Amino acid sequence: LGVVYLEKYGIFEELLKAVEDKKDGGKRLGAMVSFEVMAQQLGRAYEPYALKSLPAILRGFSDSKDAVRSVAQKGLEKVMAKLSGHGVKCVMPSIEEGLNERAWRAKVGSIEALGRMAFCGPKQLSACLPQIVPLIIKVFADPHPRVHEAGEYALKEIGSVIKNPEISELVEVLIYALQDVDEIKGTLDTLLQTPFVHSIDAPSLSLLIPILDTGLQSRDGEIKKRAAQVVGSISQLVRSDKDILPYLPLLMPGLRSSLFHTLPEVRTTAARGLGSLSVGLGGENSKRYLLSGLKEILMSDTSLVERSGAAQAMSEALVALGPTVLEPYVDEILHSCSSKNKFAREGFTGLFVFLPVIMGQDFEKYIQRIFPTVLRNLSDDVDGVRNISQRVVRILIQKFA
């Protein structure tokens, strides 16, 4: 008969009423079975109804009847398997509501729904994983052991679809670190000892990024440095810029704080990590999401350490992105070195402290272009501009005289 008759005869509305009948377990069971069979038989055509039935199915996990709970679990699997990318986004609010339920069984149902999303198509998976894994990590704070077990199992389901062989072997280690922050340092060491040669896919990133974020946010400079090193080692192997883009809001605060760390080695490692990240993002994304923010810092009334960290990171990124990105920026940098804004003059001149060191002999062709500006800034009326210009001259003499 087709989907149209569900609406014509009000069948679906009757099923929703039946599943809410607290007195008649048979009605609830029949409605659950109907949801499961319709999802199986109608496929994607069932998606509009899946969005309506999912809250009822999740509540079925905490039903008083064993049979209803069992069918609810099967129905959830069928419904989640039929969702498109748009459908996955639409059901997320219902799942989040389920995670806030008091009944532990209802929470488990929502956690299982999150785990089942691991078997969506590649595009849907890439879009939804940045939301899914943080939600699963939060459930580890729940005191009920079954909720904890469900969270661990959901992460294992995500780990089961990882295609990168190096990360696939470390799934257990990563899941352990996601549950216990004290394991972060050891996990970062393990990642640093792992030679990554295959492309990093979306499921791999979903387990890695929360660990790297925790490391970058750490007060321990050594942990921050190790996390930045891992960012650098995996960024260039990211399969698609679309896979890494959703994680920028999570990664950037920690990377930026590392750029401004009091320890020079932490700043240097973070700058190199950001340079590698720019390669994974590509030129246009890097200009939009990385370089624009660094330029703002270089022009701002902030500390010398912060402007120096931004200059080092921007230098690493420009060199990593190659001559096609660097060349147009040289004239922009020189223009900013002569800006009326004294912070911009100091900040952008600082780029010429790092670019010669990073580029080596490849920087020699730029010396004639930048030297007049650097010499002029030696007589600037601002101490900071004069000091950074003297430093640039010393570096140029040491490396190229």
mmCIF file of all heavy atoms in Angstrom, residues 320-368:
data_model
loop_
_atom_site.group_PDB
_atom_site.id
_atom_site.type_symbol
_atom_site.label_atom_id
_atom_site.label_comp_id
_atom_site.label_asym_id
_atom_site.label_seq_id
_atom_site.Cartn_x
_atom_site.Cartn_y
_atom_site.Cartn_z
ATOM 1 N N ALA A 320 54.565 26.059 5.519
ATOM 2 C CA ALA A 320 53.956 24.746 5.286
ATOM 3 C C ALA A 320 53.003 24.773 4.101
ATOM 4 O O ALA A 320 52.910 23.806 3.339
ATOM 5 C CB ALA A 320 53.220 24.281 6.544
ATOM 6 N N LEU A 321 52.296 25.891 3.918
ATOM 7 C CA LEU A 321 51.328 26.002 2.821
ATOM 8 C C LEU A 321 51.998 26.220 1.468
ATOM 9 O O LEU A 321 51.362 26.060 0.434
ATOM 10 C CB LEU A 321 50.337 27.134 3.111
ATOM 11 C CG LEU A 321 49.343 26.851 4.252
ATOM 12 C CD1 LEU A 321 48.615 28.122 4.658
ATOM 13 C CD2 LEU A 321 48.344 25.770 3.844
ATOM 14 N N GLY A 322 53.279 26.609 1.458
ATOM 15 C CA GLY A 322 54.021 26.695 0.209
ATOM 16 C C GLY A 322 54.071 28.094 -0.391
ATOM 17 O O GLY A 322 53.387 29.021 0.057
ATOM 18 N N PRO A 323 54.891 28.245 -1.443
ATOM 19 C CA PRO A 323 55.127 29.560 -2.055
ATOM 20 C C PRO A 323 53.866 30.242 -2.589
ATOM 21 O O PRO A 323 53.771 31.472 -2.572
ATOM 22 C CB PRO A 323 56.095 29.236 -3.212
ATOM 23 C CG PRO A 323 56.725 27.941 -2.836
ATOM 24 C CD PRO A 323 55.696 27.187 -2.066
ATOM 25 N N THR A 324 52.890 29.464 -3.063
ATOM 26 C CA THR A 324 51.691 30.089 -3.642
ATOM 27 C C THR A 324 50.904 30.872 -2.598
ATOM 28 O O THR A 324 50.212 31.845 -2.944
ATOM 29 C CB THR A 324 50.768 29.020 -4.267
ATOM 30 O OG1 THR A 324 50.449 28.035 -3.279
ATOM 31 C CG2 THR A 324 51.435 28.362 -5.461
ATOM 32 N N VAL A 325 51.003 30.466 -1.326
ATOM 33 C CA VAL A 325 50.349 31.212 -0.250
ATOM 34 C C VAL A 325 51.301 32.247 0.344
ATOM 35 O O VAL A 325 50.910 33.378 0.638
ATOM 36 C CB VAL A 325 49.859 30.254 0.859
ATOM 37 C CG1 VAL A 325 49.281 31.026 2.041
ATOM 38 C CG2 VAL A 325 48.810 29.295 0.301
ATOM 39 N N LEU A 326 52.576 31.869 0.489
ATOM 40 C CA LEU A 326 53.552 32.758 1.123
ATOM 41 C C LEU A 326 53.807 34.030 0.313
ATOM 42 O O LEU A 326 53.847 35.132 0.867
ATOM 43 C CB LEU A 326 54.865 32.000 1.343
ATOM 44 C CG LEU A 326 56.051 32.818 1.891
ATOM 45 C CD1 LEU A 326 55.703 33.405 3.256
ATOM 46 C CD2 LEU A 326 57.296 31.947 1.978
ATOM 47 N N GLU A 327 54.001 33.877 -1.007
ATOM 48 C CA GLU A 327 54.373 35.022 -1.853
ATOM 49 C C GLU A 327 53.435 36.225 -1.697
ATOM 50 O O GLU A 327 53.884 37.338 -1.446
ATOM 51 C CB GLU A 327 54.434 34.591 -3.325
ATOM 52 C CG GLU A 327 55.708 33.878 -3.726
ATOM 53 C CD GLU A 327 56.909 34.808 -3.768
ATOM 54 O OE1 GLU A 327 56.703 36.045 -3.789
ATOM 55 O OE2 GLU A 327 58.036 34.305 -3.768
ATOM 56 N N PRO A 328 52.111 36.036 -1.837
ATOM 57 C CA PRO A 328 51.215 37.187 -1.689
ATOM 58 C C PRO A 328 51.246 37.795 -0.288
ATOM 59 O O PRO A 328 50.984 38.990 -0.130
ATOM 60 C CB PRO A 328 49.824 36.607 -1.983
ATOM 61 C CG PRO A 328 50.068 35.327 -2.706
ATOM 62 C CD PRO A 328 51.360 34.811 -2.178
ATOM 63 N N TYR A 329 51.594 36.984 0.701
ATOM 64 C CA TYR A 329 51.592 37.473 2.076
ATOM 65 C C TYR A 329 52.799 38.350 2.391
ATOM 66 O O TYR A 329 52.754 39.168 3.315
ATOM 67 C CB TYR A 329 51.543 36.298 3.055
ATOM 68 C CG TYR A 329 50.143 35.987 3.537
ATOM 69 C CD1 TYR A 329 49.335 35.099 2.841
ATOM 70 C CD2 TYR A 329 49.625 36.584 4.685
ATOM 71 C CE1 TYR A 329 48.048 34.811 3.275
ATOM 72 C CE2 TYR A 329 48.339 36.297 5.118
ATOM 73 C CZ TYR A 329 47.558 35.414 4.409
ATOM 74 O OH TYR A 329 46.271 35.140 4.836
ATOM 75 N N VAL A 330 53.911 38.176 1.650
ATOM 76 C CA VAL A 330 55.121 38.952 1.950
ATOM 77 C C VAL A 330 54.849 40.449 1.832
ATOM 78 O O VAL A 330 55.229 41.242 2.707
ATOM 79 C CB VAL A 330 56.285 38.523 1.037
ATOM 80 C CG1 VAL A 330 57.490 39.451 1.231
ATOM 81 C CG2 VAL A 330 56.694 37.083 1.325
ATOM 82 N N ASP A 331 54.187 40.845 0.751
ATOM 83 C CA ASP A 331 53.879 42.277 0.583
ATOM 84 C C ASP A 331 52.925 42.769 1.674
ATOM 85 O O ASP A 331 53.066 43.901 2.161
ATOM 86 C CB ASP A 331 53.255 42.517 -0.797
ATOM 87 C CG ASP A 331 54.271 42.337 -1.923
ATOM 88 O OD1 ASP A 331 55.469 42.587 -1.663
ATOM 89 O OD2 ASP A 331 53.873 41.937 -3.026
ATOM 90 N N GLU A 332 51.962 41.922 2.060
ATOM 91 C CA GLU A 332 51.030 42.302 3.125
ATOM 92 C C GLU A 332 51.767 42.459 4.454
ATOM 93 O O GLU A 332 51.488 43.379 5.237
ATOM 94 C CB GLU A 332 49.928 41.250 3.249
ATOM 95 C CG GLU A 332 48.864 41.593 4.291
ATOM 96 C CD GLU A 332 47.775 40.535 4.397
ATOM 97 O OE1 GLU A 332 47.610 39.752 3.436
ATOM 98 O OE2 GLU A 332 47.109 40.501 5.446
ATOM 99 N N ILE A 333 52.718 41.560 4.710
ATOM 100 C CA ILE A 333 53.511 41.644 5.945
ATOM 101 C C ILE A 333 54.327 42.932 5.966
ATOM 102 O O ILE A 333 54.372 43.657 6.972
ATOM 103 C CB ILE A 333 54.440 40.413 6.069
ATOM 104 C CG1 ILE A 333 53.610 39.141 6.265
ATOM 105 C CG2 ILE A 333 55.421 40.587 7.227
ATOM 106 C CD1 ILE A 333 54.411 37.857 6.080
ATOM 107 N N LEU A 334 54.993 43.255 4.841
ATOM 108 C CA LEU A 334 55.808 44.473 4.760
ATOM 109 C C LEU A 334 54.954 45.722 4.953
ATOM 110 O O LEU A 334 55.383 46.686 5.606
ATOM 111 C CB LEU A 334 56.528 44.530 3.413
ATOM 112 C CG LEU A 334 57.647 43.493 3.234
ATOM 113 C CD1 LEU A 334 58.154 43.499 1.793
ATOM 114 C CD2 LEU A 334 58.795 43.768 4.211
ATOM 115 N N HIS A 335 53.748 45.696 4.387
ATOM 116 C CA HIS A 335 52.840 46.827 4.559
ATOM 117 C C HIS A 335 52.483 47.004 6.038
ATOM 118 O O HIS A 335 52.461 48.132 6.557
ATOM 119 C CB HIS A 335 51.578 46.611 3.728
ATOM 120 C CG HIS A 335 50.566 47.708 3.876
ATOM 121 N ND1 HIS A 335 50.725 48.952 3.295
ATOM 122 C CD2 HIS A 335 49.388 47.744 4.566
ATOM 123 C CE1 HIS A 335 49.688 49.715 3.608
ATOM 124 N NE2 HIS A 335 48.862 48.995 4.379
ATOM 125 N N SER A 336 52.228 45.890 6.727
ATOM 126 C CA SER A 336 51.876 45.954 8.144
ATOM 127 C C SER A 336 53.065 46.372 9.006
ATOM 128 O O SER A 336 52.889 46.952 10.082
ATOM 129 C CB SER A 336 51.350 44.596 8.617
ATOM 130 O OG SER A 336 50.172 44.243 7.911
ATOM 131 N N CYS A 337 54.282 46.063 8.545
ATOM 132 C CA CYS A 337 55.485 46.487 9.277
ATOM 133 C C CYS A 337 55.632 48.014 9.298
ATOM 134 O O CYS A 337 56.379 48.554 10.124
ATOM 135 C CB CYS A 337 56.740 45.879 8.651
ATOM 136 S SG CYS A 337 56.917 44.108 8.926
ATOM 137 N N SER A 338 54.945 48.681 8.379
ATOM 138 C CA SER A 338 54.986 50.149 8.305
ATOM 139 C C SER A 338 53.666 50.768 8.771
ATOM 140 O O SER A 338 53.414 51.949 8.532
ATOM 141 C CB SER A 338 55.288 50.591 6.868
ATOM 142 O OG SER A 338 56.498 50.030 6.409
ATOM 143 N N SER A 339 52.843 49.986 9.424
ATOM 144 C CA SER A 339 51.528 50.448 9.863
ATOM 145 C C SER A 339 51.634 51.554 10.915
ATOM 146 O O SER A 339 52.641 51.673 11.635
ATOM 147 C CB SER A 339 50.745 49.272 10.448
ATOM 148 O OG SER A 339 49.575 49.691 11.098
ATOM 149 N N LYS A 340 50.602 52.372 11.028
ATOM 150 C CA LYS A 340 50.535 53.376 12.094
ATOM 151 C C LYS A 340 50.331 52.712 13.455
ATOM 152 O O LYS A 340 50.612 53.312 14.493
ATOM 153 C CB LYS A 340 49.397 54.354 11.820
ATOM 154 C CG LYS A 340 49.628 55.241 10.587
ATOM 155 C CD LYS A 340 48.463 56.193 10.385
ATOM 156 C CE LYS A 340 48.696 57.074 9.157
ATOM 157 N NZ LYS A 340 47.562 58.013 8.941
ATOM 158 N N ASN A 341 49.829 51.491 13.438
ATOM 159 C CA ASN A 341 49.620 50.726 14.665
ATOM 160 C C ASN A 341 50.966 50.163 15.138
ATOM 161 O O ASN A 341 51.571 49.309 14.489
ATOM 162 C CB ASN A 341 48.636 49.591 14.380
ATOM 163 C CG ASN A 341 48.343 48.709 15.594
ATOM 164 O OD1 ASN A 341 49.101 48.686 16.565
ATOM 165 N ND2 ASN A 341 47.258 47.965 15.533
ATOM 166 N N LYS A 342 51.453 50.649 16.288
ATOM 167 C CA LYS A 342 52.780 50.237 16.764
ATOM 168 C C LYS A 342 52.841 48.747 17.079
ATOM 169 O O LYS A 342 53.902 48.112 16.912
ATOM 170 C CB LYS A 342 53.177 51.051 17.997
ATOM 171 C CG LYS A 342 52.271 50.865 19.208
ATOM 172 C CD LYS A 342 52.724 51.734 20.377
ATOM 173 C CE LYS A 342 51.826 51.547 21.603
ATOM 174 N NZ LYS A 342 52.260 52.403 22.741
ATOM 175 N N PHE A 343 51.709 48.176 17.509
ATOM 176 C CA PHE A 343 51.698 46.741 17.811
ATOM 177 C C PHE A 343 51.812 45.923 16.526
ATOM 178 O O PHE A 343 52.471 44.877 16.506
ATOM 179 C CB PHE A 343 50.421 46.373 18.573
ATOM 180 C CG PHE A 343 50.229 47.154 19.838
ATOM 181 C CD1 PHE A 343 49.177 48.052 19.970
ATOM 182 C CD2 PHE A 343 51.123 47.026 20.893
ATOM 183 C CE1 PHE A 343 48.999 48.787 21.132
ATOM 184 C CE2 PHE A 343 50.949 47.751 22.056
ATOM 185 C CZ PHE A 343 49.880 48.647 22.186
ATOM 186 N N ALA A 344 51.180 46.396 15.462
ATOM 187 C CA ALA A 344 51.277 45.720 14.166
ATOM 188 C C ALA A 344 52.708 45.786 13.648
ATOM 189 O O ALA A 344 53.226 44.794 13.106
ATOM 190 C CB ALA A 344 50.310 46.349 13.166
ATOM 191 N N ARG A 345 53.364 46.943 13.793
ATOM 192 C CA ARG A 345 54.752 47.074 13.316
ATOM 193 C C ARG A 345 55.647 46.070 14.041
ATOM 194 O O ARG A 345 56.473 45.386 13.429
ATOM 195 C CB ARG A 345 55.279 48.497 13.552
ATOM 196 C CG ARG A 345 54.593 49.574 12.742
ATOM 197 C CD ARG A 345 55.433 50.834 12.627
ATOM 198 N NE ARG A 345 55.777 51.420 13.919
ATOM 199 C CZ ARG A 345 55.010 52.253 14.613
ATOM 200 N NH1 ARG A 345 53.798 52.570 14.156
ATOM 201 N NH2 ARG A 345 55.416 52.761 15.770
ATOM 202 N N GLU A 346 55.472 45.967 15.346
ATOM 203 C CA GLU A 346 56.293 45.039 16.115
ATOM 204 C C GLU A 346 55.937 43.586 15.794
ATOM 205 O O GLU A 346 56.819 42.756 15.571
ATOM 206 C CB GLU A 346 56.084 45.292 17.614
ATOM 207 C CG GLU A 346 56.885 44.348 18.500
ATOM 208 C CD GLU A 346 56.560 44.521 19.973
ATOM 209 O OE1 GLU A 346 56.151 45.635 20.369
ATOM 210 O OE2 GLU A 346 56.705 43.539 20.722
ATOM 211 N N GLY A 347 54.631 43.295 15.751
ATOM 212 C CA GLY A 347 54.184 41.915 15.544
ATOM 213 C C GLY A 347 54.580 41.358 14.185
ATOM 214 O O GLY A 347 55.115 40.242 14.095
ATOM 215 N N PHE A 348 54.338 42.121 13.121
ATOM 216 C CA PHE A 348 54.628 41.620 11.772
ATOM 217 C C PHE A 348 56.123 41.613 11.466
ATOM 218 O O PHE A 348 56.594 40.754 10.718
ATOM 219 C CB PHE A 348 53.851 42.426 10.733
ATOM 220 C CG PHE A 348 52.406 42.015 10.619
ATOM 221 C CD1 PHE A 348 51.435 42.643 11.389
ATOM 222 C CD2 PHE A 348 52.027 40.985 9.786
ATOM 223 C CE1 PHE A 348 50.108 42.252 11.314
ATOM 224 C CE2 PHE A 348 50.698 40.588 9.690
ATOM 225 C CZ PHE A 348 49.729 41.216 10.470
ATOM 226 N N THR A 349 56.881 42.556 12.038
ATOM 227 C CA THR A 349 58.334 42.495 11.888
ATOM 228 C C THR A 349 58.861 41.210 12.522
ATOM 229 O O THR A 349 59.835 40.619 12.043
ATOM 230 C CB THR A 349 59.004 43.725 12.545
ATOM 231 O OG1 THR A 349 58.500 44.913 11.945
ATOM 232 C CG2 THR A 349 60.521 43.686 12.355
ATOM 233 N N GLY A 350 58.181 40.752 13.574
ATOM 234 C CA GLY A 350 58.584 39.516 14.245
ATOM 235 C C GLY A 350 58.518 38.287 13.356
ATOM 236 O O GLY A 350 59.179 37.279 13.626
ATOM 237 N N LEU A 351 57.735 38.343 12.287
ATOM 238 C CA LEU A 351 57.690 37.206 11.351
ATOM 239 C C LEU A 351 59.068 36.951 10.740
ATOM 240 O O LEU A 351 59.429 35.791 10.465
ATOM 241 C CB LEU A 351 56.674 37.478 10.238
ATOM 242 C CG LEU A 351 55.197 37.338 10.633
ATOM 243 C CD1 LEU A 351 54.314 38.036 9.620
ATOM 244 C CD2 LEU A 351 54.808 35.875 10.741
ATOM 245 N N PHE A 352 59.858 38.034 10.557
ATOM 246 C CA PHE A 352 61.172 37.880 9.928
ATOM 247 C C PHE A 352 62.222 37.373 10.910
ATOM 248 O O PHE A 352 63.371 37.155 10.531
ATOM 249 C CB PHE A 352 61.604 39.210 9.298
ATOM 250 C CG PHE A 352 60.658 39.670 8.228
ATOM 251 C CD1 PHE A 352 60.091 40.939 8.280
ATOM 252 C CD2 PHE A 352 60.310 38.833 7.182
ATOM 253 C CE1 PHE A 352 59.209 41.356 7.293
ATOM 254 C CE2 PHE A 352 59.422 39.231 6.195
ATOM 255 C CZ PHE A 352 58.871 40.505 6.251
ATOM 256 N N VAL A 353 61.821 37.176 12.165
ATOM 257 C CA VAL A 353 62.673 36.463 13.116
ATOM 258 C C VAL A 353 62.595 34.967 12.839
ATOM 259 O O VAL A 353 63.601 34.250 12.924
ATOM 260 C CB VAL A 353 62.230 36.766 14.568
ATOM 261 C CG1 VAL A 353 62.938 35.829 15.561
ATOM 262 C CG2 VAL A 353 62.504 38.215 14.929
ATOM 263 N N PHE A 354 61.404 34.495 12.479
ATOM 264 C CA PHE A 354 61.166 33.048 12.354
ATOM 265 C C PHE A 354 61.276 32.533 10.919
ATOM 266 O O PHE A 354 61.733 31.416 10.701
ATOM 267 C CB PHE A 354 59.784 32.714 12.922
ATOM 268 C CG PHE A 354 59.639 33.078 14.375
ATOM 269 C CD1 PHE A 354 58.924 34.197 14.759
ATOM 270 C CD2 PHE A 354 60.254 32.310 15.352
ATOM 271 C CE1 PHE A 354 58.792 34.536 16.101
ATOM 272 C CE2 PHE A 354 60.138 32.647 16.699
ATOM 273 C CZ PHE A 354 59.414 33.766 17.072
ATOM 274 N N LEU A 355 60.829 33.323 9.940
ATOM 275 C CA LEU A 355 60.840 32.838 8.555
ATOM 276 C C LEU A 355 62.232 32.438 8.070
ATOM 277 O O LEU A 355 62.379 31.375 7.434
ATOM 278 C CB LEU A 355 60.233 33.899 7.621
ATOM 279 C CG LEU A 355 58.698 34.026 7.677
ATOM 280 C CD1 LEU A 355 58.232 35.253 6.902
ATOM 281 C CD2 LEU A 355 58.027 32.773 7.138
ATOM 282 N N PRO A 356 63.305 33.213 8.330
ATOM 283 C CA PRO A 356 64.638 32.784 7.872
ATOM 284 C C PRO A 356 65.079 31.465 8.506
ATOM 285 O O PRO A 356 65.745 30.644 7.852
ATOM 286 C CB PRO A 356 65.548 33.937 8.319
ATOM 287 C CG PRO A 356 64.646 35.108 8.479
ATOM 288 C CD PRO A 356 63.347 34.544 8.957
ATOM 289 N N VAL A 357 64.709 31.251 9.772
ATOM 290 C CA VAL A 357 65.112 30.026 10.476
ATOM 291 C C VAL A 357 64.369 28.816 9.901
ATOM 292 O O VAL A 357 64.956 27.752 9.682
ATOM 293 C CB VAL A 357 64.824 30.161 11.986
ATOM 294 C CG1 VAL A 357 65.154 28.858 12.707
ATOM 295 C CG2 VAL A 357 65.610 31.317 12.581
ATOM 296 N N ILE A 358 63.075 29.000 9.638
ATOM 297 C CA ILE A 358 62.264 27.893 9.118
ATOM 298 C C ILE A 358 62.624 27.567 7.671
ATOM 299 O O ILE A 358 62.740 26.401 7.286
ATOM 300 C CB ILE A 358 60.764 28.247 9.215
ATOM 301 C CG1 ILE A 358 60.360 28.461 10.676
ATOM 302 C CG2 ILE A 358 59.907 27.138 8.610
ATOM 303 C CD1 ILE A 358 58.992 29.097 10.845
ATOM 304 N N MET A 359 62.823 28.599 6.860
ATOM 305 C CA MET A 359 63.040 28.405 5.420
ATOM 306 C C MET A 359 64.490 28.132 5.058
ATOM 307 O O MET A 359 64.773 27.576 3.993
ATOM 308 C CB MET A 359 62.550 29.643 4.657
ATOM 309 C CG MET A 359 61.063 29.895 4.781
ATOM 310 S SD MET A 359 60.540 31.392 3.918
ATOM 311 C CE MET A 359 60.803 30.888 2.197
ATOM 312 N N GLY A 360 65.427 28.529 5.910
ATOM 313 C CA GLY A 360 66.835 28.338 5.579
ATOM 314 C C GLY A 360 67.227 29.154 4.355
ATOM 315 O O GLY A 360 66.832 30.311 4.196
ATOM 316 N N GLN A 361 67.979 28.533 3.447
ATOM 317 C CA GLN A 361 68.481 29.243 2.263
ATOM 318 C C GLN A 361 67.369 29.706 1.326
ATOM 319 O O GLN A 361 67.562 30.604 0.511
ATOM 320 C CB GLN A 361 69.457 28.340 1.493
ATOM 321 C CG GLN A 361 70.754 28.052 2.236
ATOM 322 C CD GLN A 361 71.509 29.310 2.610
ATOM 323 O OE1 GLN A 361 71.714 30.195 1.777
ATOM 324 N NE2 GLN A 361 71.939 29.406 3.866
ATOM 325 N N ASP A 362 66.197 29.089 1.416
ATOM 326 C CA ASP A 362 65.082 29.498 0.562
ATOM 327 C C ASP A 362 64.615 30.917 0.870
ATOM 328 O O ASP A 362 63.923 31.542 0.058
ATOM 329 C CB ASP A 362 63.895 28.537 0.735
ATOM 330 C CG ASP A 362 64.184 27.171 0.140
ATOM 331 O OD1 ASP A 362 65.057 27.080 -0.743
ATOM 332 O OD2 ASP A 362 63.549 26.186 0.571
ATOM 333 N N PHE A 363 64.990 31.428 2.040
ATOM 334 C CA PHE A 363 64.570 32.792 2.400
ATOM 335 C C PHE A 363 65.462 33.850 1.762
ATOM 336 O O PHE A 363 65.091 35.026 1.705
ATOM 337 C CB PHE A 363 64.578 32.956 3.927
ATOM 338 C CG PHE A 363 64.018 34.259 4.392
ATOM 339 C CD1 PHE A 363 62.642 34.463 4.450
ATOM 340 C CD2 PHE A 363 64.854 35.313 4.762
ATOM 341 C CE1 PHE A 363 62.112 35.684 4.858
ATOM 342 C CE2 PHE A 363 64.332 36.528 5.182
ATOM 343 C CZ PHE A 363 62.954 36.709 5.235
ATOM 344 N N GLU A 364 66.617 33.448 1.256
ATOM 345 C CA GLU A 364 67.604 34.420 0.764
ATOM 346 C C GLU A 364 67.025 35.353 -0.300
ATOM 347 O O GLU A 364 67.349 36.542 -0.347
ATOM 348 C CB GLU A 364 68.814 33.671 0.205
ATOM 349 C CG GLU A 364 69.989 34.577 -0.125
ATOM 350 C CD GLU A 364 71.240 33.779 -0.476
ATOM 351 O OE1 GLU A 364 71.183 32.532 -0.440
ATOM 352 O OE2 GLU A 364 72.257 34.416 -0.785
ATOM 353 N N LYS A 365 66.132 34.852 -1.143
ATOM 354 C CA LYS A 365 65.579 35.670 -2.228
ATOM 355 C C LYS A 365 64.677 36.793 -1.725
ATOM 356 O O LYS A 365 64.367 37.717 -2.486
ATOM 357 C CB LYS A 365 64.805 34.781 -3.197
ATOM 358 C CG LYS A 365 63.592 34.076 -2.589
ATOM 359 C CD LYS A 365 62.920 33.172 -3.607
ATOM 360 C CE LYS A 365 61.733 32.426 -2.983
ATOM 361 N NZ LYS A 365 61.084 31.518 -3.960
ATOM 362 N N TYR A 366 64.260 36.726 -0.461
ATOM 363 C CA TYR A 366 63.385 37.769 0.085
ATOM 364 C C TYR A 366 64.157 38.887 0.783
ATOM 365 O O TYR A 366 63.571 39.911 1.148
ATOM 366 C CB TYR A 366 62.399 37.157 1.094
ATOM 367 C CG TYR A 366 61.424 36.192 0.487
ATOM 368 C CD1 TYR A 366 61.575 34.818 0.679
ATOM 369 C CD2 TYR A 366 60.355 36.630 -0.282
ATOM 370 C CE1 TYR A 366 60.684 33.915 0.124
ATOM 371 C CE2 TYR A 366 59.450 35.734 -0.838
ATOM 372 C CZ TYR A 366 59.630 34.377 -0.628
ATOM 373 O OH TYR A 366 58.742 33.483 -1.184
ATOM 374 N N ILE A 367 65.470 38.701 0.994
ATOM 375 C CA ILE A 367 66.223 39.655 1.812
ATOM 376 C C ILE A 367 66.181 41.067 1.230
ATOM 377 O O ILE A 367 65.951 42.049 1.942
ATOM 378 C CB ILE A 367 67.687 39.182 1.984
ATOM 379 C CG1 ILE A 367 67.705 37.890 2.815
ATOM 380 C CG2 ILE A 367 68.530 40.262 2.666
ATOM 381 C CD1 ILE A 367 69.087 37.277 2.998
ATOM 382 N N GLN A 368 66.390 41.187 -0.083
ATOM 383 C CA GLN A 368 66.376 42.524 -0.699
ATOM 384 C C GLN A 368 65.020 43.206 -0.550
ATOM 385 O O GLN A 368 64.953 44.430 -0.431
ATOM 386 C CB GLN A 368 66.753 42.431 -2.180
ATOM 387 C CG GLN A 368 68.250 42.203 -2.407
ATOM 388 C CD GLN A 368 68.613 42.321 -3.877
ATOM 389 O OE1 GLN A 368 67.800 41.990 -4.740
ATOM 390 N NE2 GLN A 368 69.824 42.788 -4.161
#
